[in-house]
């Protein structure tokens, strides 16, 4: 072969080799292996890059990008990943398979669709094909994307979580929820399924779960006035609801008076103080199907469709809520509609919007859509049960701490103790009457009137704050103080933040005045700045912590810079943040605010557990010593009922500590004016009694609200059934402290959930999926609050199990049935699960009064049972280094024997020797929680001992 021929052959060989290498490079470029996962570059669909990595062998992090680059900013929600996960990766026929010991994840390399199966290949759920979308957006000069992700999931599952919302919905399968923060609304972008998986959507902007469309005004319908003329509904404005004098009547094709901007569209000079407005006529849909309505209301509100009342509710004028309902409409068919509204205040809010029908299969998909982010990031987690899923959630977002033992006792608060004498007088009255209490609260406005944010005290009303705190501690109680992230612009603290660029300035620039007469100007600090968080803590430390306060009440942490502002203006008031525009960081303020307090306190005193009560929250806030309460809810029976499902779903969002204003915060005027012997006074007392009964079985037991005063002795005289009932449940809570504090310990040792939707323990019983008015308090007790005035019984569903015992009578019932449970005034239905254990301690008036000795172990027989009795030092973080004890109490149904196991662990001050009293309740041996006699007593020194039942 000539030299030229050889050269040509070499060129061809090298060319082929280069082409092969290039081709191989292209093939390998179909995915790249990275630590704990892969990166894929889909060829179709909106995502150009997809990264799938394992956090553990049963937790998957998915990141999808509209470009081939991924967001490198640190998640505010997730804790750093530290585990190396062995993965078996296989590629075949355009599909990547990633397998661990627990999960099989498949990725369609062309579309980027991700599907999940268990280790045996049984499907769990999947992203929807072409279910991912991006749309470019630029806000305040920062580029990002609106984004959405849809999932196909089992049709018959139950879905729970999403935080705390007020529409009284339990199972979110097929439901819609807007996720943003608002007084009484806490949004957590996490859902958990009865199929034992969860999805955490890691995005901080306004997000919609379910239908990605916003609710829109009623002009989407054909509207007819009360005479039948097309164009709108008849709106009649009565300026005197008593005489029904008409101020003006007009036709309106939208009802949108939901915020400070849109209320300007009301008739000019209309007097709201004693008014009534009625909208009536007909609506006609442009298609047939189920229309979903959302009514935003404050004041007294009723709505009828075709003469059928859809709801009747009240909220105080300044703090609206929402009502949801659905109507099945036929295309071209007229339907009567009437909305009656009594504003109940000088300025109030009302709105009615709807979503047009979607296919039922589409409605049942799990879907998240967010206003702004850099790329999609979510975590999929699978577990053996729903508790295991919660544990995975906390693996991603951080462990919950064990709350201090004193915090699990009773909290007394009111809006507000105006002087130190009032506060000390209230605590003294509790001690005088021997009513158990551990905590009392100093609410807002203890500062000089013009110095909000100074953290100073008005010396005329609080002349000796250190002395006040000392007297509280001398009476074996703790004190929590309200601290807002708000600062009047004239205060030195405001100026310190402002000098560093750490204040949101728009409210000051717009001269926004607050509600303190005659109105003062101020704003909130930027909690997204690490420097600002440190300054916030430093100011609190110097002015408050050094005086001896025990706990922090972080009010208005949404942030609520201006109540009832539109969401658009809310964003303008809180931007820019240190991390970017508020549009992108709209929902995580409370998380960052709590982070600053938690890290600040632990940096100066790691021997005292942090306790934060916050009005808002977000995924991961449990790692910052935070409890969330449900905000300024109304004093209404429907509000009480709504707190049951709200609290359950909040807990099933992975956050174990929740509470509410027992009795409701915002008070109907009829209760403010109620006199002794009146019907309103009777209802007021019964409402507070029923709410108190419910409150004794939520994680934190706390009474709070506006006038009338909420101390038990102010609610009713001690001879009244209301007083007797509230005292009974207070004392019962304290007797159950060994059980309750064990549950608190488990939130750390087992990632446990204290307030439990029935689906968590009885997921095989599909009848429990929709039940939002019963819940498990720990593993043993089912609480069934009474939320109807005058009711002396209620229906209770007893889930399928080994059976149930009435806690008061000891009567046994088989599971899987609905019964009518007795609910006399002084008692709330309470049932113990057959095959469970409850531990009781001595009667005490505060948690440190005496050791938990003896402990009465009540066994509810019928099945095997186990309970781990947790104890530690109560106030410090030594449990994090293993200084706690666990004693396993195990009941064998076949042997009819309780075994008290070997004590595991130790801590300073633990009881080396103690007494257990064992009482077994069975079908044939009735017993009740009011009589713990008839026990077998054993001495215990840390070694196993058995007791025959």
């Amino acid at each position: 072969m000539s030299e030229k021929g050889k050269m040509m052959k070499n060129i061809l060989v090298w060319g082929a080799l280069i082409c092969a290498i290039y081709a191989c490079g292209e093939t390998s470029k179909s995915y790249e292996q990275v630590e704990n996962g892969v990166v894929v570059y889909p060829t179709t669909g909106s995502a150009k890059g997809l990264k799938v990595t394992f956090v553990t062998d049963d937790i998957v992090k998915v990141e999808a990008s509209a470009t081939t680059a991924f967001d490198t900013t640190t998640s505010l929600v997730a804790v750093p990943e530290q585990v190396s996960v062995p993965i078996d990766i296989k590629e075949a026929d355009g599909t990547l398979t990633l397998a661990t010991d627990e999960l099989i994840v498949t990725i369609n390399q062309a579309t980027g669709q991700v599907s999940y199966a268990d280790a045996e290949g049984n499907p769990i759920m999947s992203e929807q094909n072409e279910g991912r979308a991006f749309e470019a957006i630029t806000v305040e000069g920062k580029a990002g994307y609106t984004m959405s992700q849809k999932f196909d999931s089992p049709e018959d599952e139950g879905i729970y979580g999403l935080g705390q919302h007020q529409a009284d919905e339990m199972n979110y399968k097929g439901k819609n929820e807007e996720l943003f923060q608002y007084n009484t609304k806490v949004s957590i972008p996490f859902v958990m399924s009865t199929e034992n998986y969860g999805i955490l959507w890691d995005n901080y902007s306004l997000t919609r779960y379910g239908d990605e469309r916003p609710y829109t005004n009623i002009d989407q319908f054909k509207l007819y006035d009360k005479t039948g003329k097309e164009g709108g509904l008849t709106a009649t404005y009565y300026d005197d609801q008593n005489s029904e004098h008409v101020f003006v009547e007009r036709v309106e094709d939208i009802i949108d008076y939901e915020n400070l901007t849109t209320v300007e569209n009301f008739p000019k000079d209309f007097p709201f103080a004693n008014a009534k407005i009625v909208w009536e006529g007909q609506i006609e849909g442009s298609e047939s199907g189920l229309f979903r309505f959302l009514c935003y209301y404050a004041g007294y509100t009723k709505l009828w469709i075709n003469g059928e009342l859809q709801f009747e509710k009240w909220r105080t004028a300044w703090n609206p809520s929402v009502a949801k309902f659905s109507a099945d409409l036929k295309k071209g068919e007229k339907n009567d509609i009437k909305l009656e509204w009594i504003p109940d205040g000088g300025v109030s809010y009302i709105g009615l919007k709807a979503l047009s029908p979607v296919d039922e299969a589409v409605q049942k998909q799990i879907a998240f859509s967010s206003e702004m982010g850099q790329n999609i990031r979510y975590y999929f987690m699978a577990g053996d049960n729903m508790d295991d899923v919660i544990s995975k959630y906390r693996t991603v977002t951080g462990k919950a701490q064990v709350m201090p033992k004193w915090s699990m006792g009773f909290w007394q608060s009111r809006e507000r103790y105006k002087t130190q004498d009032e506060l000390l007088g209230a605590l003294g009255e509790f001690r005088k009457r021997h009513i158990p209490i551990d905590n009392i609260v100093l609410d807002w406005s203890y500062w000089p009137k013009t110095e909000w944010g100074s953290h100073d005290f008005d010396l005329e009303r609080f002349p000796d704050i250190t002395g006040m705190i000392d007297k509280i501690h001398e009476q074996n109680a703790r004190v929590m103080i309200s601290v807002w992230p708000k600062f009047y612009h004239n205060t030195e603290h405001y100026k310190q933040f402002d000098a560093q660029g750490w204040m949101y300035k728009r409210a000051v620039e717009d001269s926004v005045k607050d509600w303190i007469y005659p109105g003062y100007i101020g704003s909130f600090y930027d909690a997204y700045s690490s420097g600002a968080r440190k300054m916030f803590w430093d100011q609190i430390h110097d002015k408050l912590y050094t005086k001896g306060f025990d706990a922090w009440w972080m009010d208005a942490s949404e942030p609520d810079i201006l109540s009832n502002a539109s969401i658009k203006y809310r964003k303008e008031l809180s931007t820019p943040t240190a991390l970017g525009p508020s549009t992108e960081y709209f929902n995580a303020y409370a998380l960052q605010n709590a982070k600053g307090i938690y890290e600040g306190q632990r940096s100066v005193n790691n021997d005292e557990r942090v306790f934060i009560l916050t009005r808002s929250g977000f995924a991961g806030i449990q790692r910052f010593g935070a409890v969330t309460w449900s905000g300024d809810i109304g004093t209404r029976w429907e509000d009480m009922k709504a707190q049951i499902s709200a609290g359950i779903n909040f807990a099933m969002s992975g956050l174990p500590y929740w509470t509410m204003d027992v009795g409701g915060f915002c008070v109907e005027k009829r209760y403010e004016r109620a006199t002794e012997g009146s019907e309103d006074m009777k209802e007021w007392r019964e409402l507070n009694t029923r709410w108190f009964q419910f409150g004794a079985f939520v994680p934190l037991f706390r009474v709070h609200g506006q006038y009338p005063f909420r101390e038990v002795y102010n609610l009713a005289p001690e001879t009244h059934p209301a007083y007797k009932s509230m005292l009974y449940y207070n004392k019962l809570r304290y007797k159950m402290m060994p059980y309750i504090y064990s549950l608190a310990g488990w939130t750390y040792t087992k990632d446990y959930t204290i307030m439990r939707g029935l689906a968590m323990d009885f997921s095989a019983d599909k009848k429990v999926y929709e039940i939002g008015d019963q819940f498990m308090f720990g593993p043993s007790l089912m609480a069934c609050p009474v939320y109807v005035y005058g009711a002396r019984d209620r229906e209770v569903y007893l889930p399928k199990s080994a059976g149930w015992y009435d806690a008061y009578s000891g009567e046994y019932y088989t599971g899987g049935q609905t019964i009518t449970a007795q609910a006399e005034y002084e008692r709330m239905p309470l049932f113990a699960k057959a095959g469970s254990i409850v531990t009781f301690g001595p009667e005490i008036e505060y948690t440190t009064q005496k050791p938990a000795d003896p402990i009465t172990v009540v066994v509810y027989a019928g099945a095997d049972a186990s309970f781990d009795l947790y104890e530690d030092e109560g106030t410090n973080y030594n449990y994090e280094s293993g200084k706690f004890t666990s004693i396993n109490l195990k009941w064998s149904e076949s042997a009819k024997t309780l075994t008290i196991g070997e004590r595991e662990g130790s801590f300073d001050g633990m009881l080396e020797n103690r007494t257990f009293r064992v009482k077994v309740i069975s079908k044939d041996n009735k017993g009740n929680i009011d009589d713990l006699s008839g026990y077998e007593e054993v001495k215990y020194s840390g070694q196993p001992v058995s007791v025959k039942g």
Side-chain angles (χ1 to χ4, degrees), residues 5-25:
K6 289 179 180 179
M7 185 180 295
M8 288 300 298
K9 181 178 179 181
N10 288 338
I11 290 171
L12 290 171
V13 169
W14 280 105
L17 183 58
I18 290 167
C19 287
I21 292 171
Y22 181 76
C24 288

Side-chain angles (χ1 to χ4, degrees), residues 703-720:
V703 169
H704 180 64
Q706 294 181 321
Y707 182 83
F709 298 144
R710 306 306 178 84
E711 296 80 12
V712 58
Y713 52 82
N714 281 320
L715 287 167
E718 61 185 48
T719 56
H720 194 280

Side-chain angles (χ1 to χ4, degrees), residues 118-319:
D118 64 22
E120 286 71 48
N122 301 307
I124 302 174
M125 60 98 70
S126 172
E127 293 180 355
Q128 185 186 111
N129 186 35
E130 299 183 357
R132 186 182 291 127
F134 294 94
E135 184 176 337
I137 183 176
T138 300
V139 178
E140 298 171 29
K142 184 176 182 181
Y145 300 89
T146 60
M147 56 192 66
S148 62
Q149 178 71 65
K150 299 174 182 175
F151 301 86
D152 290 323
S153 61
E155 184 175 343
D156 59 350
E157 68 186 340
I159 293 290
Y160 308 95
L162 296 179
Q164 164 209 288
H165 305 279
Q166 296 296 326
D168 197 16
E169 293 179 314
M170 186 63 212
N171 179 4
Y172 281 104
K173 186 68 173 181
K175 303 278 198 336
N176 306 315
E177 190 61 62
E178 285 197 322
L179 303 182
F180 61 91
Q181 313 298 4
Y182 175 76
N183 187 350
T184 73
K185 180 181 180 70
V186 181
S187 295
I188 312 291
F190 173 77
V191 292
M192 177 169 62
S193 166
T194 51
E195 295 297 310
N196 300 329
Y197 71 84
I199 297 172
L200 172 63
W201 180 254
D202 191 355
N203 184 283
Y204 325 118
S205 69
L206 188 153
T207 295
R208 292 189 179 91
Y209 170 84
D211 197 327
E212 64 185 353
R213 302 173 301 165
Y215 286 86
T216 56
N217 283 313
I218 58 171
D219 58 359
Q220 64 184 281
F221 300 98
K222 281 188 178 179
L223 301 173
Y224 303 87
D225 68 14
K226 65 182 182 182
T227 69
K229 183 179 178 182
E230 185 177 347
L233 302 179
T234 301
T236 307
Y237 288 78
Y238 301 95
D239 55 15
D240 184 346
Q241 60 174 297
N242 299 317
S243 67
E244 296 205 340
H245 176 264
V246 176
F247 178 85
V248 68
E249 184 174 281
R250 66 185 191 181
V251 173
E252 298 183 3
D253 62 354
I254 64 171
I255 305 174
D256 182 5
Y257 306 100
E258 296 184 352
N259 56 64
L260 291 168
T261 302
T262 55
V263 293
E264 296 298 323
N265 297 323
F266 277 123
K268 185 176 174 56
D269 298 327
F270 179 67
F272 285 90
N274 193 41
K276 179 174 75 172
I277 300 94
V278 177
W279 290 267
E280 56 190 326
Q282 294 176 312
I283 60 173
E284 178 186 323
S286 59
E287 57 184 308
S288 297
L290 192 68
F291 287 79
R292 292 172 170 84
F293 289 84
L294 181 74
C295 183
Y296 190 76
Y297 70 93
Y300 293 92
T301 311
K302 302 179 190 178
L303 190 143
W304 297 262
I305 289 186
N306 293 327
E308 183 177 345
L309 182 66
Q310 302 297 310
F311 67 87
E312 179 178 359
K313 295 178 180 289
W314 173 87
R315 263 295 178 87
T316 191
W318 54 266
N319 193 32

Side-chain angles (χ1 to χ4, degrees), residues 54 69 100 365 517 539 561 636 788 929:
F54 282 82
T100 67
Q365 294 168 348
Y517 183 81
Q539 292 173 351
I561 299 175
R636 293 273 289 191
V788 176
I929 57 175

Side-chain angles (χ1 to χ4, degrees), residues 414-418 422 443-446 461 705 709:
R414 77 159 75 143
E415 202 265 350
R416 54 194 164 82
Y417 296 112
K418 296 180 180 179
E422 283 188 9
D443 200 354
W444 68 293
S445 202
Y446 49 82
R461 295 181 292 120
F709 298 144

